[in-house]
Amino acid sequence: MIPASEALALLREGNRRFVADRSTVATSSHQARRLDLVDGQEPFAIILGCSDSRVPAELVFDRGFGDLFVIRVAGNVVAPSQVGSVEFAASRYATRLVVVMGHSQCGAIIATLEELLGKSSTQSRNLRSIVDRVRPSVETLLSGRTVDDHEALMREAVRANVRVSANHLRHGSELLEKLIRDDGVRVVGAEYSLESGVVTFFDGVEDVEQATGA
Ligand SMILES: [Zn+2]
């Protein structure tokens, strides 16, 4: 079992290699690793990220087969099946670190903002289920302000949405609450920059650094 603090350090190191264009996973033997994993897995981190094709979790953290348990959904929103996926990995594989990772220029956030500003509306009930989960955090940001700096608003909205998803995972499941209380599971929020490739961990990080990883 890899404690949350160590898992976070591994992700940071991997992202540094990726940003420096010194990724190592692409040159390693996938077939040997694949065979090693046939009988079981022990992923050291759970990543809840966006489905956006520009944000492949394994690549931005320079990790390969068996390392990350990845859940991807547009807007990295948390619905019951996402909570269930995190519960599954954390309880079955003893994975201690959960990362909710949003990203700049996220289409789901843009769609929600446009809807709230009256520029468009979502017709599909299914698509609406995603926008509706992003909406409350963005609505809070919009209340009582004028939208003069759209870029700044977009950046804030991405982070607000990550914070809400991370909090939902911390407090929306009895099983996860127990794993957090008794077993050193930690949930952190992060943002990936399409522009720089850098992942910034900005929510719940101090708590990981203090975690014993028991
Ligand atoms: Zn996105």
Side-chain angles (χ1 to χ4, degrees), residues 129-147:
S129 75
I130 291 175
V131 170
D132 283 348
R133 286 185 190 277
V134 178
R135 179 195 281 266
S137 49
V138 180
E139 245 168 5
T140 308
L141 278 181
L142 280 173
S143 67
R145 69 188 269 177
T146 52
V147 188

Side-chain angles (χ1 to χ4, degrees), residues 96-153:
R96 296 294 187 251
L97 182 68
V98 184
V99 180
V100 176
M101 185 165 74
H103 67 97
S104 57
Q105 313 296 337
C106 180
I109 307 288
I110 292 169
T112 307
L113 263 178
E114 284 179 349
E115 186 160 305
L116 285 170
L117 297 171
K119 291 182 182 167
S120 69
S121 72
T122 306
Q123 302 298 335
S124 154
R125 187 164 54 88
N126 303 305
L127 186 53
R128 172 157 295 285
S129 75
I130 291 175
V131 170
D132 283 348
R133 286 185 190 277
V134 178
R135 179 195 281 266
S137 49
V138 180
E139 245 168 5
T140 308
L141 278 181
L142 280 173
S143 67
R145 69 188 269 177
T146 52
V147 188
D148 39 11
D149 187 347
H150 201 269
E151 286 292 308
L153 180 63

Side-chain angles (χ1 to χ4, degrees), residues 50-52 54-55 73-76 103-109:
C50 182
S51 303
D52 194 302
R54 300 166 294 179
V55 195
V73 56
N76 41 273
H103 67 97
S104 57
Q105 313 296 337
C106 180
I109 307 288

Side-chain angles (χ1 to χ4, degrees), residues 203-214:
D203 184 54
V205 180
E206 301 78 10
D207 197 29
V208 171
E209 282 153 358
Q210 287 158 10
T212 59

Side-chain angles (χ1 to χ4, degrees), residues 191-205:
E191 181 185 6
Y192 172 73
S193 163
L194 293 189
E195 296 79 5
S196 68
V198 173
V199 176
T200 305
F201 293 89
F202 64 88
D203 184 54
V205 180

